[in-house]
Amino acid sequence: MLVLLPPSEGKARSGSGAPLKLEGLSLPGLAQARTAVLDELVELCATDEEKAREVLGLSEGLRGEVAKNTELRNSGARRAAEIYTGVLYDALGLATLEPAARKRAAKSLLVFSGLWGAVRITDRIPSYRCSMGVKLPALGALGAYWRTPMATVMPEAAASGLVLDLRSSAYASAWKPKGEVAERTATVRVLHSQWVNGVEKRSVVSHFNKATKGRLVRDLLTAGPAPSGPAELVEALRDLGYVVEGEAPGGPGRTWALDVVVTEIH
């Protein structure tokens, strides 16, 4: 099973140890693209702070993020599992997983990134600020930029198993599963169900959507053997107590779209 996750906008501080080694990151087929994005991002932030803040979409209060980006090559790197924070990662609780579940997480979780393309949680990276929605002056929109290298690298990373796609739309733009890979890919939407005057109303609640996805991944990692495909994923989630709606897509080359329906927000 390969689980595709979005990063967090906010991130923990860089470490105090050895700096980034691009050649040591997973998915080496992305190395050239990573270098190009890193070079432009560092140069932009080092030479024109106001332009960098505009490009990165940062408020005045986040001006320090520009300075942080200038030191990306020299800042101490930490495991991506320690860098990414926020609602989804708090609910996932990587640091508190049992050893067996932690091993499964290291093998199956892949975090998409505007700067790195995608990294595994064991990859050592510095704290940074660069979302997939950024449009760099020379390279252009990062979502579009990453599509070419991702088209080569991701099918290999997906291997022959289930792909559980939990990315937000901005990060999903960098790679869309096609053909046979799409047929064993499942996306998940979390819906909050409420009954009002005898009528059910369903809505997407951003905070709870992220928290539920984090708990869902944690439960799958803890449960043991991974489901082999989307149909098995539906059964596995139901066995774990989730209310899941969805069925096989109507034609070849299409992904499964699953709804996880919840009645409580927490």
Side-chain angles (χ1 to χ4, degrees), residues 1 100-101 104 162 219-229 232-233 236-237 240:
M1 178 174 67
R104 286 189 281 271
L162 166 70
D219 287 345
L220 286 172
L221 293 172
T222 301
S228 58
E232 291 78 12
L233 172 65
L237 291 176
L240 289 168

Side-chain angles (χ1 to χ4, degrees), residues 220 227 229-242 244 258:
L220 286 172
E232 291 78 12
L233 172 65
V234 171
E235 294 305 314
L237 291 176
R238 288 173 177 167
D239 288 344
L240 289 168
Y242 291 92
V244 183
L258 307 180

